């Protein structure tokens, strides 16, 4: 047998690497693919999109990498990044999809993706994540591309980040820090900003690093140092002082968020007292949740073709075809490997989904891996108590952009799903009917005559119940309706047995009849 053609193998490897980079840079297979290239100029939230565009990072000279190292400066310039991923037990397609999503995240954060590197190994290297040889290869790629930042598609241990940063001689950021950065840019409300800052500090605390002597100075010092009285003992190093300050700030933020929770809880309780059913829109980032909210309620919340465009929950009122009022809540988008710090910090916000009567799970039907998106969303929902037990409607959004074969396959996989296009309005009527059917209905059937002086009770029946019939008789307003237990108790004195009794103005304490799913009261 002849010697293997190492030159041909090298060319094949180089061609495969170039193909991988091309696919990543094209962002095919990301949450942004289905809407890429479409006209978004008429989407809601134009002023806010313009405000965000005004703070985009700018291009910088190549020499800045050697001359500038301040973090404050890097926050306002367009960073040039190289992506890194490790393939352990995943398939090549799964790694490619994850890297393309990482490229979309990097661009959302204000970066320019120049290159990518994938290494296959059984487990991450404990020192440099990639291993010494691959880390040196990454350093060469960074220098050749003129990049200043490396983004790793996984959460790194503090020692791994430091080790890789020392070899590459460039800033190293992991997936968690990247998502936190996007959240920090998009947070608007006071509560949202506090939640993001808390998540960032929780991430930063174990990753503080000393830079030379600046972080190892001591407030005290040894007598041999000649400092004299007041300086004996080890003192407190600057890094310990910073950790203490961070813990103090984290405690303050937790207290602020705790004080903000009652306001949100009060709003939820007021809706509960009014017996207003609630539906929460959940789904993967950029699946079209805000567009669907605007379509169903006529709201004008921000719509942007970007990841995590909406962070703060938006609650809007909607009505069913028979006049029942309910609320729709637009929640923060989810993503694969959503940082646990964010899940904890946004727990009060995510409770909007956990306490809803119905979940409207929006899926991007035009995405290459919609089933994976559903799994990622349900993974996050599993961390919210009771969320997976709430009735769910799967909404296959962007049906106008999806291939018919893919849409048919998805409807087979999710047989109770509804295919819609929030952008064009296709399928919205069917979805509205499904929501109307799935929302909880009052269980107690009542027939009563209310004196004309009790218009307040008639109003409550219309607001909190379902009116089957209403007519005006001599004795007052005759109503047949379905109401909840609390309102039924208030209406009991006015229950009648027959039309003759109503005409005579008689009222009786007849038992209230529960619906087929309840007992007689």
């Amino acid at each position: 047998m002849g010697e293997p053609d190492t030159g041909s193998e090298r060319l094949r490897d180089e061609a495969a690497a170039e193909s991988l980079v091309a696919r990543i840079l094209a962002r095919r297979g990301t949450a942004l693919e289905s809407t890429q290239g479409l006209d978004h100029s008429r989407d809601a939230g134009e002023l806010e999109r313009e405000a965000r565009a005004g703070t985009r990072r700018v291009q910088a000279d190549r020499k800045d990498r050697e001359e500038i190292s301040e973090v404050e400066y890097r926050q306002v310039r367009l960073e040039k990044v190289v992506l890194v991923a490790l393939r352990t037990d995943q398939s090549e397609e799964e790694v490619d999809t994850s890297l393309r999503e990482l490229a979309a995240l990097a661009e959302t954060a204000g970066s320019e993706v120049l290159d990518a590197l994938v290494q296959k190994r059984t487990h991450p290297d404990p020192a440099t994540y990639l291993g010494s040889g691959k880390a040196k290869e990454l350093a060469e790629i960074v220098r050749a591309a003129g990049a200043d930042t490396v983004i790793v598609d996984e959460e790194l241990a503090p020692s791994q980040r430091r080790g890789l940063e020392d070899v590459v001689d460039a800033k190293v950021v992991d997936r968690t820090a990247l998502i936190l950065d996007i959240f920090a840019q998009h947070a608007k409300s006071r509560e949202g900003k506090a939640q993001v800052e808390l998540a960032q500090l929780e991430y930063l605390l174990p990753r503080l690093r000393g830079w030379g002597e600046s972080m190892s100075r001591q407030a005290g010092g040894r007598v041999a140092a000649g400092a004299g009285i007041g300086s004996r003992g080890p003192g407190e190093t600057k890094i310990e002082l910073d950790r203490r300050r961070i813990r103090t700030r984290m405690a303050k933020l937790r207290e602020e968020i705790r004080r903000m929770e009652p306001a949100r809880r009060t709003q939820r309780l007021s809706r509960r007292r009014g017996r207003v059913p609630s539906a929460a829109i959940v789904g993967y980032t950029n699946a079209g949740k805000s567009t669907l909210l605007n379509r169903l309620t006529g709201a004008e919340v921000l719509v942007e073709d970007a990841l995590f465009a909406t962070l703060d929950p938006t609650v809007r009122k909607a009505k069913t075809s028979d006049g029942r009022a309910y609320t729709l809540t637009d929640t923060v988008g989810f993503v694969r490997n959503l940082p646990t710090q964010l899940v904890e910090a946004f727990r009060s916000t995510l409770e909007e989904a956990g306490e809803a009567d119905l979940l409207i799970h929006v899926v991007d039907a035009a995405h290459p891996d919609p089933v994976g998106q559903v799994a990622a969303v349900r993974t996050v929902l599993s961390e919210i108590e009771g969320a997976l037990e709430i009735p769910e409607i799967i909404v296959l959004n962007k049906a106008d952009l999806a291939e018919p074969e893919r849409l048919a396959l998805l409807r087979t996989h999710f047989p109770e799903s509804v295919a819609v296009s929030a952008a064009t309005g296709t399928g919205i009527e069917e979805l509205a009917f499904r929501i109307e059917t799935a929302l909880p209905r009052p269980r107690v059937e009542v027939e009563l005559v209310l004196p004309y002086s009790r218009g307040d009770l008639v109003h409550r029946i219309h607001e909190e119940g379902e009116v089957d019939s209403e007519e005006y008789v001599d004795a007052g307003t005759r109503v047949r309706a379905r109401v909840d237990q609390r309102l039924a108790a208030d209406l009991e004195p006015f229950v009648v047995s027959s039309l003759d009794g109503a005409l005579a103005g008689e009222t009786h304490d007849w038992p209230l009849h529960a619906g087929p799913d309840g007992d007689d009261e």
Side-chain angles (χ1 to χ4, degrees):
M1 294 181 63
E3 292 293 328
D5 188 356
T6 55
S8 300
E9 290 182 358
R10 189 180 72 254
L11 290 175
R12 281 197 301 271
D13 291 343
E14 290 176 356
E18 290 176 2
S19 175
L20 169 65
V21 173
R23 291 197 305 273
I24 292 170
L25 296 182
R27 292 194 315 188
R28 288 191 299 272
T30 72
L32 295 174
E33 177 195 1
S34 56
T35 51
Q36 195 170 7
L38 299 181
D39 181 16
H40 300 283
S41 58
R42 296 187 179 182
D43 290 345
E46 180 181 358
L47 293 178
E48 188 171 345
R49 284 198 306 274
E50 289 180 358
R52 287 186 179 183
T55 58
R56 295 296 185 207
R57 301 177 182 182
V58 298
Q59 289 280 2
D61 295 335
R62 188 184 183 93
K63 63 181 181 180
D64 284 344
R65 184 177 180 275
E66 289 77 22
E67 296 179 354
I68 304 295
S69 61
E70 287 82 0
V71 174
E72 290 78 10
Y73 183 79
R74 284 181 170 172
Q75 286 179 343
V76 297
R77 62 192 283 255
L78 183 66
E79 295 182 79
K80 299 179 179 180
V81 304
V82 174
L83 308 181
V84 174
L86 205 63
R87 180 184 171 192
T88 52
D89 56 351
Q90 312 100 310
S91 67
E92 183 178 349
E93 183 179 357
E94 289 174 336
V95 174
D96 286 359
T97 300
S98 184
L99 261 182
R100 289 195 290 270
E101 185 172 84
L102 187 68
L105 287 168
E107 292 181 6
T108 301
S111 300
E112 179 185 2
V113 180
L114 302 179
D115 211 331
L117 177 69
V118 177
Q119 185 191 20
K120 184 177 180 180
R121 57 182 296 153
T122 56
H123 59 274
D125 181 75
T128 60
Y129 182 72
L130 290 175
S132 57
K134 209 67 173 180
K136 291 177 182 177
E137 181 182 339
L138 175 62
E140 295 175 1
I141 293 175
V142 168
R143 283 192 293 270
D148 50 36
T149 304
V150 171
I151 301 179
V152 179
D153 192 23
E154 195 173 331
E155 183 170 344
L156 297 177
S159 59
Q160 289 175 324
R161 186 183 66 84
R162 288 195 298 266
L164 188 58
E165 207 166 54
D166 290 340
V167 176
V168 176
D169 190 27
K171 183 169 68 172
V172 174
V173 175
D174 60 16
R175 183 186 180 93
T176 299
L178 177 62
I179 294 175
L180 289 173
D181 182 79
I182 296 173
F183 271 63
Q185 292 183 49
H186 292 179
K188 295 186 303 178
S189 68
R190 179 165 165 259
E191 183 179 11
K193 290 178 179 178
Q195 289 168 332
V196 172
E197 185 181 354
L198 176 61
Q200 287 180 314
L201 291 177
E202 286 179 346
Y203 172 81
L204 175 64
L205 184 60
R207 291 169 173 82
L208 283 180
R209 181 180 183 182
W211 293 94
E213 296 181 356
S214 64
M215 296 291 279
S216 60
R217 293 195 302 268
Q218 293 181 333
R222 299 187 180 279
V223 178
I229 296 175
S231 61
R232 295 179 176 85
E236 183 179 36
T237 62
K238 189 173 184 300
I239 194 168
E240 290 170 346
L241 179 62
D242 287 345
R243 283 176 179 149
R244 183 158 56 83
R245 286 173 174 167
I246 287 177
R247 290 191 184 97
T248 302
R249 177 60 180 165
M250 287 170 62
K252 183 178 179 181
L253 287 170
R254 287 194 181 98
E255 178 62 22
E256 287 182 6
I257 294 172
R258 188 188 64 79
R259 287 200 302 267
M260 292 182 222
E261 272 187 47
R264 188 179 301 282
R265 194 182 305 115
T266 300
Q267 292 173 352
R268 285 198 294 263
L269 288 175
S270 66
R271 295 196 294 267
R272 291 293 181 189
R273 280 195 299 268
R275 294 301 186 269
V276 179
S278 61
I281 303 176
V282 299
Y284 210 78
T285 180
N286 208 55
K289 298 182 296 299
S290 298
T291 306
L292 184 63
L293 176 72
N294 291 341
R295 176 67 66 175
L296 288 170
T297 65
E300 288 293 325
V301 300
L302 170 70
V303 173
E304 185 177 11
D305 190 27
L307 305 183
F308 301 116
T310 303
L311 295 187
D312 301 305
T314 304
V315 182
R316 291 292 183 269
K317 184 177 180 180
K319 281 194 174 183
T320 61
S321 61
D322 55 359
R324 281 186 298 148
Y326 68 98
T327 60
L328 267 177
T329 304
D330 182 18
T331 61
V332 61
F334 301 150
V335 74
R336 290 181 183 86
N337 303 321
L338 190 67
T340 55
Q341 295 92 339
L342 281 174
V343 176
E344 287 300 319
F346 278 75
R347 186 162 295 278
S348 61
T349 300
L350 294 174
E351 285 175 357
E352 292 285 350
E355 298 191 10
D357 297 305
L358 176 67
L359 293 182
I360 302 173
H361 188 161
V362 183
V363 183
D364 184 355
H367 189 273
D369 185 22
V371 177
Q373 286 192 348
V374 172
V377 171
R378 287 176 174 168
T379 298
V380 179
L381 289 176
S382 66
E383 301 185 35
I384 306 169
E385 185 178 357
L388 293 181
E389 301 171 4
I390 300 173
E392 177 189 57
I393 298 177
I394 296 288
V395 179
L396 304 176
N397 192 27
K398 305 182 185 179
D400 56 323
L401 304 176
E403 298 176 358
E405 298 82 4
R406 178 183 294 274
L407 196 59
L409 184 63
L410 281 174
R411 300 200 74 163
T412 302
H413 195 88
F414 303 109
E416 300 298 322
S417 61
V418 183
V420 306
S421 170
T424 65
T426 304
I428 294 298
E429 290 186 4
E430 181 185 355
L431 174 61
F433 175 76
R434 289 286 301 278
I435 294 173
E436 179 179 332
T437 305
L439 286 173
R441 306 176 74 94
R443 297 190 308 118
V444 183
E445 295 180 0
V446 294
E447 183 175 357
L448 57 151
V449 173
L450 294 165
Y452 289 117
S453 60
R454 296 308 307 268
D456 58 320
L457 290 177
V458 177
H459 176 73
R460 283 184 61 189
I461 294 172
H462 280 276
E463 286 293 314
E464 303 176 23
E466 298 179 30
V467 177
D468 295 328
S469 66
E470 182 178 9
E471 60 178 319
Y472 300 103
V473 296
D474 292 342
T477 306
R478 182 181 180 89
V479 180
R480 290 180 62 92
R482 296 174 64 92
V483 296
D484 58 38
Q485 302 281 1
R486 188 171 65 90
L487 180 54
D490 295 339
L491 296 173
E492 190 169 355
F494 304 99
V495 173
V496 297
S497 60
S498 66
L499 182 59
D500 293 338
L503 292 174
E506 299 175 0
T507 61
H508 305 279
D509 292 339
W510 293 94
L512 302 176
H513 300 287
D517 55 348
D519 299 326
D520 289 343
E521 296 297 320

